[in-house]
Amino acid sequence: MGQTIDIGRRIELVPLDAHFGDISIGLYRQQDDSGPVYRVFTYSRREGVEDRIAFVVQAMEVLGGMEPAEGGRLRFHCGYAHQLAIKRVFLEACKLDPAGPVEPRPLQILDKKSGLQIQVLSEGDGVYRVTAHGEGKDRERRISFIAGGLMKLAEMDEVSGTLDQVAFPCGQEHDALVGLLLVRAPNVRAVLREQEAVASRGVLAAPSQQDG
């Protein structure tokens, strides 16, 4: 009899990996003594698949500011799950060209809709403040909208009495994670629709259904 692999509970799926022969790759949540940990897994036996999974894991470390855990898994240094945010980290890591550089995203973007330069500042204790610079329009409205986008993408909390500040419930800094999500925050509705579409497509294929 084959050995059963306990890979945990699947929380996200890339049904067709465009960078590696359209295999399916899943992100799984597990629990150990330190808290939630995450595993990237595929049933594919295609030659080179171990290197592909290792690349995705390493990219997630960089893009999400995560740290390695035992057995090739990942965790956040704060010990929190941040489950919605890690789904985006996983999807973005799978999109990266393996031949290109993997670098953390800056805490600054150009908001194309308003023409404003958006910058996010860490205020300490997991609090981040959204600022805007330049000659663009609707400054206060765009600041509030982008702060709201970060809340939706990372399950951050609104800082009471403000429209420009959001906070991680763990109370710790996650600069790399905020930089990654900031790119998507101005168009958060489209991002959430994309995640719903990915979640509704396919399942993680067993070895007999994948090449290799």
Side-chain angles (χ1 to χ4, degrees):
M1 294 179 62
Q3 183 178 4
T4 301
I5 302 175
D6 181 13
I7 55 178
R9 177 170 59 89
R10 196 189 80 198
I11 61 170
E12 191 56 274
L13 173 71
V14 171
L16 297 170
D17 178 14
H19 293 295
F20 199 80
D22 289 341
I23 67 170
S24 57
I25 303 177
L27 177 66
Y28 290 77
R29 176 173 170 173
Q30 300 175 331
Q31 191 80 17
D32 67 11
D33 293 340
S34 66
V37 291
Y38 297 96
R39 179 176 181 179
V40 180
F41 181 82
T42 180
Y43 283 110
S44 174
R45 296 170 182 167
R46 180 185 291 266
E47 183 179 356
V49 72
E50 294 87 358
D51 291 338
R52 175 57 181 158
I53 296 301
F55 173 83
V56 173
V57 170
Q58 291 165 6
M60 290 178 68
E61 284 187 44
V62 175
L63 295 178
M66 305 187 73
E67 62 182 28
E70 184 180 358
R73 300 176 298 175
L74 293 166
R75 65 161 57 92
F76 287 107
H77 64 85
C78 63
Y80 268 57
H82 298 305
Q83 183 167 299
L84 186 58
I86 197 176
K87 291 182 180 184
R88 175 50 48 184
V89 175
F90 170 67
L91 294 174
E92 295 294 336
C94 289
K95 289 179 181 179
L96 284 180
D97 182 352
V102 181
E103 299 173 340
R105 306 283 169 78
L107 294 174
Q108 184 171 311
I109 60 166
L110 173 64
D111 178 30
K112 295 180 180 178
K113 187 167 185 177
S114 66
L116 293 165
Q117 196 73 30
I118 303 296
Q119 185 175 13
V120 179
L121 306 174
S122 175
E123 303 286 285
D125 297 325
V127 176
Y128 288 84
R129 179 164 58 91
V130 180
T131 66
H133 309 277
E135 301 299 323
K137 58 184 180 180
D138 298 328
R139 180 187 304 269
E140 298 304 320
R141 181 173 176 273
R142 292 306 292 168
I143 286 175
S144 177
F145 185 86
I146 290 170
L150 290 173
M151 285 194 291
K152 291 177 181 177
L153 291 172
E155 296 175 306
M156 299 176 77
D157 299 324
E158 181 181 2
V159 176
S160 180
T162 75
L163 295 176
D164 62 347
Q165 295 184 45
V166 293
F168 284 104
C170 64
Q172 297 192 34
E173 295 182 356
H174 291 281
D175 287 0
L177 187 57
V178 172
L180 177 71
L181 299 177
L182 179 60
V183 177
R184 302 294 183 179
N187 198 21
V188 63
R189 295 187 184 96
V191 173
L192 295 177
R193 286 196 299 269
E194 177 198 5
Q195 289 186 184
E196 290 173 0
V198 169
S200 68
R201 291 202 308 266
V203 296
L204 191 67
S208 60
Q209 297 172 292
Q210 298 201 37
D211 292 336

